[in-house]
Amino acid sequence: MPNPFTPIMQGMKITLGHVFKKPVTLMYPDERPKVAERFRGLHALKVSHNKAKCVACYLCPTVCPAKCITVEAGEDANHDKFAAKYEIDMLRCIFCGYCVEACPVDALKMTGEFELANYRREDFVFTKERLLEKK
Amino acid sequence: MVTLTIDDKQVSVEKDATIYDAAKAAGVNIPILCHDKKLKPFGACRMCLVEVEQMKGRLIPACTTPVTEGMIVRSSTPPVEKARKLVLELLMLNHPLDCPVCDKGGDCELQNLAYDHKVNSNRLADEKFHHEIDYNNPLIERDQNRCVLCGKCVRICDEIVARGALTFISRGIETTIGTEFDGPLSCEFCGSCISVCPVGALLARPFKFKSRFWAMTKKKSVCGYCGTGCNVTLGVKDNKVLTTVYDENQGFHNGQLCVRGRFGYQFISSDKRLKTPLIRKNDQLVEAGWDEALALVAERLKGAGSAAAALATPRMTNEELVLLKQLMTQQVGSQNIDHSAGYGHAAVSEGLGKSLGVAASSATILDIQKSDLILAIKTDVYETHPVVGFEINMAVKNKGIKLQIISDKRGKLSRLPGANLLLNKPGSDVALLNAVAKVLLDENLAVTPATPELAAALNDFTPEKVAELTGVAADAIRDLARAYAAAEKAIILFTSGLAYPGADAQLAHAAANLAILGGKLGKEGSGILALQEKNNSQGALDVGFVPGQGGLDAQQILAGCSAGSIKTLLIAGENPVVSYPAQAQVKKALDAVEFLVVADLFLTETAQMADVVLPVCSYAEKAGTFTATDRRVQKISAAIPAVGQSKPEFQVYGELISLLGGQPAATQAEAFAQIAAYAGISYAELGEGGAFAAVKLQPVQVVPKVVTVAVDAGKFALLTGAALYHCGTMSLYGEGTVSVCGEAYVEISRNDAAKMNISEGAEVKLTSSTGTVSVKARISPRMSEGVAFAPYHFAEASINTVWSGAAVTGVTISK
C-alpha cells in the first residue's frame, strides 16, 4: 500500500520551489515586457534626410500575403517617385515581415510596438503619417 | 523552304527567314533586346548570339543571319551563355539600377534577361550616365540614362510611323537617342517608341507611377475611336483603366496604335463621367433614379409614332443599335432614325450602296499591302486613320507599292517616297475623278465598257477642261489614269464621316466608276475601301440604322424639331451641338423639341439641353460587337464594371422596349443573330481578330452629279475635317490627347500668313455667312494658298458656327 502522503509532499515540493523562483506573471501595464530585438510589431517607415525612404516601388503590397498594404505613388517636384499614400491595415496584417524583406531600399522596419488595440476599425488603418518612424 | 536544325529540332522555314525566326518557329527561345517582329533585323544588342556548326570559331547573331540549308544551330552552349552574360554585364555597366522607381520594372526585357542569366554582380566598373531627362513632353518621357541603344524606337518611328523623330546622335560611349537638333520631341506622339522600348528609357507620362505592370489585369478589347478596328489591351487596376498595354501579336496591325488609341483612354475612367440619370425639374437637371427616368422616357415615347425620332452614334455596338432600332420602329412606330448627321454615311450607304450594290467597302485594310497601286482620294489617311496610314507606309516602303493621291491639301501621305500628289482646288474632286475615268475611256484603257449614260456624261470632263477647273495639269490626270489602268491590282481609299462633308455619295460614285471601268473590283488587293470615321460606322449601316420607309434623315429630323412636327427626340451618344454642321440651327431645333432624351457618357453640350439624361457605358464596360470599316466584325467584352450607376445601352433600350410592351433580345448573341448582313457569323464563335462579313458586289455605273463649289474672290476655302489627335468629340474627354491638342485651330499656308502678318498661335477670326469664331492660327506647309483647314472636335470655338455642312465654306480670316 503506497503512502497516501507521498503525492501531496511531492506537490508541495514543487510549490515550495516556485516560492523562491522569479515570478512569471508580468504586472502589465505597470510592468513592461522586454521586447526582443527581432520582434515583429508595428511597422515603421524609415526616415532619411527628413523624408521617408520609401520610393513606392510596390514590392511590399505585391509580396504581402494578407493584402493589407496600400501604396499609391506620386511624382514630386523633382520628378522623383514617392509614396503619396502608404497604408497598412493592421486588422489584416499577419506580421510575417515579408514586406520588410522585400523592400529594396530598406525603407521599412518592424518595431517592438505591440499595443495596437483600438476602439474603431478605421483606427487600425495606419496611414503614412502614423507609420513614419519617430525619432 | 529551307530546313535546318536548331537545338536538335528540325524546322523548315521560308528562305528569307533569319535564324531567330527559325528558332521561334521551332519553339526555341533566343534572348534578344533589339528585335520586334514588325521591324527589320538590326543586330544591335548582341544578345541573340548562337553557335552554328558550319561557322565554327565565332558566335553568330541569330537575328541578322539568314538561314541556309542544313544549318546546325545550338542556342545555349557554354560559350554562348558566357558571351550573353558578358553582353548583359556590359549593358548593366551604365544602366542605372533604379528598377524600384522605374515604371518598366516587371515588364523590362533587360530585367528579365539579367534575372534569367543570373547577372547579379558585375566584374567591371564604370560610371553611370548623367544625361538630362526630358520631362517636358506631356505624353512621352525620355530618360537616356536607361537607354540600351537597341534602336527599336528609331526604327519604328522611321519604318512604320514614317515620322523619323528619333535618331542616334553622337558616337561611341556618348551615343544617345536624340531628336531634331536635340530639341524637344516634336512628333505626332503615337507612342510607338514607348511600346517597343525594352527598358524604361521611354515611358508614357500619363501612366507614370500609376501602377506596376504586374498589378494590372490585361483586358483585350477593340479601340473605340475610328473605324480601323485596331485591337487594344487595356491595363486595369481597381476597376479603372490605367493604360493601354502593347502586345506585338495583337490584331492585323501587330499591336501598333495611334496617339488616340494609345493615349486617349482616360475618358473611360474619367471623373466627369455621368454617374446617375438626370431629369430636368424647374429648368435644372437633377439626379434621379433609373426607374423614374426610364418611366418618363417610356411615357413620352408611348404611341408617339412619327412624332418621335432617334439619332444614334456609330460608337454603339451592333446589338445596341439593333435594340434601339427595334424600340423606335416597332414599339414607338417611327421610321425617323439616323446617325452621323445623315451626310456622314452617305458615301457608303448611298454612294457605294448604289454603285457596288452593297453599302460596304469591297476591299479590306489587309488588301492595302497586297495591292500594286494605292489611290487615296481626298484623305490624309495618316491623320484620319493613322494605323491604316502605317499600313500604306509599309506597303510603299517595303513592297514598292505605288501611291497616287488626289487631295486638296498636302499631308504626311504625300511625303512618302514616290508618292504622286494631284493637288486639286477644294471641291473639285468629283470632276477630277471623272476626268480620270474619261481618260480610261478615251485611251481604251477601260476593261469594262462604260454605259452610254456614263460615257455621255463623261464627255464634259476632258482632262483639259478639268485641268482648268481643278488646277491639276491635264498630263498629270492622264498619267494617273494610265498608272491606275496599268496596275494589275489597285485599291481606292477615301474617308467618310461627319468630318468629311466633301466625301459624299457623288465622290463614292465617281470612285466606284473608276474601279468598275478599270476592272479593279472583286479581287484581292483591289477594290474600294471607304475609311469610316467611327468604330462602328459600318455596323450602323449593316444594322440598318438609317431612315426607314418614309422616315426622316438626320437633317430632316432636326428641321422637324424646329418646325414642331418632331416632339420627342432621343439622342444616343451623338453631340450634334458640336459635331453637326450649323450650330445655330441645331441649337434651335434642340431648344424647340418638346422632349429631348440624351444617352451619353458625359454631360455634353447636347446633354446639357436635354430633359432626361441617361448615363451609359463606354466600350470598356460592355459586351457586344463592333464592325470595322472593312466589315471586320469583332467582339468586345467588359473590362471593368459599369462606372457609377451607368448602364450599357443594351440594357437601357431593352428595358424601354419591355416598358412599351415589347420583347427585347435577351442576350447580345440573340440581337446579333437578327442582323441579316452577318448571316453566317456566329456571335459565340467570334474570336480574337473577329471575322469578315461577306460583301456581295453588284457593280452598277452611276453617273455622279458634279457640283462645282466656287468660293468668292478674297475668301478662303475652309475645309473641315478631323485632327490627328481626335476622333469625334469623345476624345476631348481623353486627357492624353487633349494635352497635345486641346484647342480649336485653323491651318493656313505660309504665304497667306505672311501676307496677313499672322504668326503661329495668333488668335484669328473666321467669318462666314453664318457666323464668326475665334481660333488659334497654325501655319502649315501643307496648305495651299487660299485654303484653310479646321478640325471640328472642339466645343469651345466650335467650327460649326461658321460651317453649315458644305464641303467647302467661303470664309474671311482676320486678326
Side-chain angles (χ1 to χ4, degrees), chain B residues 104-343:
Chain B
K104 196 72 179 179
D107 182 28
C108 174
E109 286 167 45
L110 185 62
Q111 199 181 35
N112 292 345
L113 290 177
Y115 188 84
D116 288 347
H117 292 82
K118 304 186 182 65
V119 184
N120 40 22
S121 60
N122 212 329
R123 288 172 284 169
L124 314 152
D126 193 17
E127 216 181 314
K128 302 286 178 194
F129 292 126
H130 298 288
H131 297 296
E132 203 178 318
I133 302 170
D134 177 9
Y135 295 110
N136 299 322
N137 192 287
L139 295 177
I140 300 171
E141 182 176 309
R142 298 189 309 121
D143 182 349
Q144 283 307 302
N145 301 316
R146 292 184 185 142
C147 181
V148 293
L149 298 172
C150 70
K152 275 200 229 175
C153 52
V154 174
R155 286 178 288 145
I156 203 161
C157 197
D158 174 35
E159 288 175 22
I160 292 176
V161 183
R163 179 79 198 195
L166 297 168
T167 190
F168 290 95
I169 56 172
S170 301
R171 288 207 165 195
I173 190 74
E174 283 165 9
T175 314
T176 56
I177 302 295
T179 54
E180 243 180 326
F181 303 107
D182 222 5
L185 191 59
S186 120
C187 66
E188 53 206 55
F189 313 117
C190 67
S192 300
C193 48
I194 299 175
S195 73
V196 292
C197 183
V199 291
L202 292 160
L203 292 169
R205 262 200 89 69
F207 175 60
K208 195 167 181 206
F209 300 156
K210 286 269 163 65
S211 165
R212 297 318 296 243
F213 183 77
W214 62 79
M216 293 185 294
T217 321
K218 286 86 184 174
K219 300 273 190 176
K220 293 193 170 178
S221 192
V222 176
C223 179
Y225 280 119
C226 78
T228 310
C230 299
N231 296 11
V232 293
T233 304
L234 301 172
V236 176
K237 191 185 162 195
D238 299 335
N239 295 334
K240 278 189 174 167
V241 173
L242 294 183
T243 187
T244 50
V245 179
Y246 174 63
D247 175 358
E248 71 165 353
N249 296 317
Q250 208 180 11
F252 71 90
H253 48 95
N254 295 323
Q256 188 66 26
L257 292 177
C258 70
V259 56
R260 312 188 282 247
R262 198 183 308 279
F263 291 120
Y265 55 82
Q266 294 91 341
F267 74 93
I268 298 168
S269 301
S270 166
D271 292 337
K272 293 180 193 156
R273 282 283 298 272
L274 288 168
K275 307 261 175 7
T276 58
L278 305 172
I279 296 180
R280 189 170 294 279
K281 287 175 181 160
N282 298 328
D283 219 32
Q284 285 281 315
L285 281 171
V286 292
E287 290 185 4
W290 270 105
D291 292 344
E292 189 189 357
L294 287 183
L296 189 59
V297 175
E299 187 195 317
R300 291 292 312 210
L301 287 175
K302 199 168 194 173
S306 56
L311 295 172
T313 173
R315 290 206 194 286
M316 288 159 66
T317 64
N318 289 316
E319 295 71 21
E320 290 167 345
L321 288 163
V322 166
L323 284 199
L324 182 55
K325 188 181 174 187
Q326 183 194 340
L327 172 72
M328 293 309 292
T329 54
Q330 292 176 28
Q331 269 65 49
V332 180
S334 167
Q335 298 293 337
N336 307 330
I337 55 172
D338 206 352
H339 69 272
S340 298
Y343 72 84

Side-chain angles (χ1 to χ4, degrees), chain B residues 327-411:
Chain B
L327 172 72
M328 293 309 292
T329 54
Q330 292 176 28
Q331 269 65 49
V332 180
S334 167
Q335 298 293 337
N336 307 330
I337 55 172
D338 206 352
H339 69 272
S340 298
Y343 72 84
H345 59 72
V348 180
S349 60
E350 195 194 328
L352 296 184
K354 277 188 195 159
S355 284
L356 300 183
V358 54
S361 304
S362 78
T364 69
I365 295 172
L366 305 180
D367 284 319
I368 292 174
Q369 301 242 24
K370 294 175 188 157
S371 190
D372 294 328
L373 181 139
I374 300 163
L375 173 58
I377 302 169
K378 208 178 155 53
T379 169
D380 192 350
V381 180
Y382 259 120
E383 197 163 32
T384 58
H385 297 73
V387 174
V388 178
F390 301 155
E391 292 287 311
I392 296 178
N393 170 51
M394 286 186 276
V396 170
K397 283 191 186 159
N398 300 347
K399 305 202 169 151
I401 296 170
K402 293 191 181 74
L403 177 61
Q404 300 278 351
I405 304 159
I406 292 177
S407 185
D408 39 26
K409 57 180 194 291
R410 285 175 214 92

Side-chain angles (χ1 to χ4, degrees), chain A residues 38-99:
Chain A
R38 286 162 56 179
F39 180 80
R40 298 197 297 266
L42 178 70
H43 307 69
L45 287 168
K46 291 191 189 171
V47 174
S48 161
H49 297 89
N50 284 327
K51 62 179 187 182
K53 279 170 85 178
C54 173
V55 295
C57 72
Y58 289 79
L59 285 188
C60 46
T62 305
V63 75
C64 179
K67 298 274 164 272
C68 68
I69 308 179
T70 315
V71 183
E72 268 174 35
E75 192 175 356
D76 68 12
N78 296 326
H79 300 285
D80 287 333
K81 199 176 184 184
F82 77 105
K85 180 178 169 185
Y86 193 101
E87 280 179 8
I88 301 181
D89 184 350
M90 288 301 163
L91 286 175
R92 298 199 65 155
C93 180
I94 57 168
F95 300 94
C96 64
Y98 280 11
C99 45

